Amino acid sequence: MADIVDERALTELLDDVATGQLPADEALERLRDLPYEALDDLRIDHHRELRTGAAEAVLAQGKTPRQVVDAARALAARGGGAVLVTRADATHAEALSTAFPDARHAERSGLWVIRSAQVAPGSRGRLVVVTAGTSDLPVAEEASVAAEALGHEVERITDVGVAGVHRVLEHRGAFDAADAVIVVAGMEGALPSVIGGLTSAPVVAVPTSVGYGASFEGLAALLGMLSSCAPGIAVVNIDNGFGAAQVAHRIVRTARARSSRAGSTD
């Protein structure tokens, strides 16, 4: 049985104890380091998937290759959740490719998928990731690949920014069919407002640092998105594709869980 890091595994553990298939002392041993695992200067939060529905990710930036590999290996040894490493540079990539030869590497964004989530039937969401321009693709790639690793189907729509706004109109059907739409844009960051006015689906806006001097490395896009007149838009930090995927994941996961509970009580 997998270690106890998500609701499914914990439910199985309690059922096994209740039916006598598992001694209580063995169950206690499996739960002993549930909150976190201490590894030298790392504290791996194995409890996070149980609390939030998504396992802890490893931010490679500022960490040594050894620290990144150790953290990823500890997370990969547990449960069925996705194990992601974000913002990995070339030195991290070399160490990760050696330690995890089967891992997926999204090179433009520096994202590594050490393991994708084990997804229960009916829990898979449909997401659309839209970019204003091709320069926004590295951030969009981080969002798309992270969302796929979390168990969702992702449709990518690229280069439909407001300078040629007619390009986005043909995709209204895709937006309406989505559980959530992630919109990635730099410059003045206007595209989320346009899409937010076209669809009832929740929109997660990601400002990017793409743009000329007055864009202030994404600050103009961030402020534009925060100031949007279109309702139903959530905004994450500059260049934070991973964070956008997490927001969309929670939207889908919460909606599916509530729907399932409602159905079970009818």
Side-chain angles (χ1 to χ4, degrees):
M1 177 178 173
D3 287 300
I4 314 307
V5 296
D6 59 21
E7 292 179 9
R8 175 189 54 78
L10 182 58
T11 300
E12 290 177 2
L13 178 80
L14 295 176
D15 285 344
D16 287 346
V17 174
T19 59
Q21 298 180 58
L22 184 71
D25 57 348
E26 185 176 338
L28 180 63
E29 185 61 31
R30 294 188 184 186
L31 291 168
R32 192 172 303 281
D33 65 344
L34 176 62
Y36 70 90
E37 178 181 359
L39 297 172
D40 295 331
D41 48 359
L42 300 168
R43 298 294 182 271
I44 308 301
D45 184 5
H46 291 304
H47 194 257
R48 190 170 305 183
E49 187 175 353
L50 184 61
R51 297 193 314 268
T52 70
E56 180 179 19
V58 181
L59 174 64
Q61 187 175 355
K63 293 183 177 68
T64 67
R66 180 192 62 80
Q67 289 171 330
V68 171
V69 168
D70 286 350
R73 185 175 283 125
L75 288 164
R78 300 299 187 97
V83 178
L84 306 176
V85 177
T86 67
R87 302 300 169 91
D89 62 22
T91 60
H92 299 126
E94 182 178 358
L96 287 166
S97 63
T98 300
F100 306 100
D102 296 328
R104 179 182 179 185
H105 181 202
E107 188 172 358
R108 285 182 297 189
S109 65
L111 178 70
W112 284 75
V113 180
I114 307 304
R115 183 184 63 214
S116 293
Q118 299 174 10
V119 182
S123 64
R124 185 179 177 89
R126 178 177 175 81
L127 306 180
V128 175
V129 177
V130 189
T131 60
T134 53
S135 297
D136 301 309
L137 282 173
V139 177
E141 178 186 67
E142 184 177 71
S144 300
V145 176
E148 288 170 338
L150 290 165
H152 305 292
E153 177 186 356
V154 176
E155 178 179 352
R156 295 160 171 81
I157 298 173
T158 61
D159 199 21
V160 291
V162 297
V165 72
H166 58 287
R167 297 173 297 183
V168 79
L169 298 178
E170 66 179 282
H171 300 289
R172 289 185 62 182
F175 303 149
D176 288 339
D179 293 301
V181 182
I182 297 174
V183 185
V184 185
M187 298 292 191
E188 79 279 37
L191 186 60
S193 293
V194 174
I195 293 177
L198 292 174
T199 181
S200 63
V203 173
V204 183
V206 190
T208 72
S209 51
V210 172
Y212 294 99
S215 67
F216 294 104
E217 298 183 342
L219 182 59
L222 173 64
L223 295 176
M225 293 174 182
L226 289 171
S227 303
S228 173
C229 65
I233 296 176
V235 185
V236 299
N237 209 343
I238 298 168
D239 292 336
N240 191 8
F242 167 77
Q246 290 283 341
V247 172
H249 173 66
R250 291 196 182 198
I251 289 170
V252 174
R253 182 177 182 274
T254 301
R256 297 292 170 87
R258 288 178 176 171
S259 176
S260 177
R261 286 196 295 269
S264 65
T265 57
D266 289 343

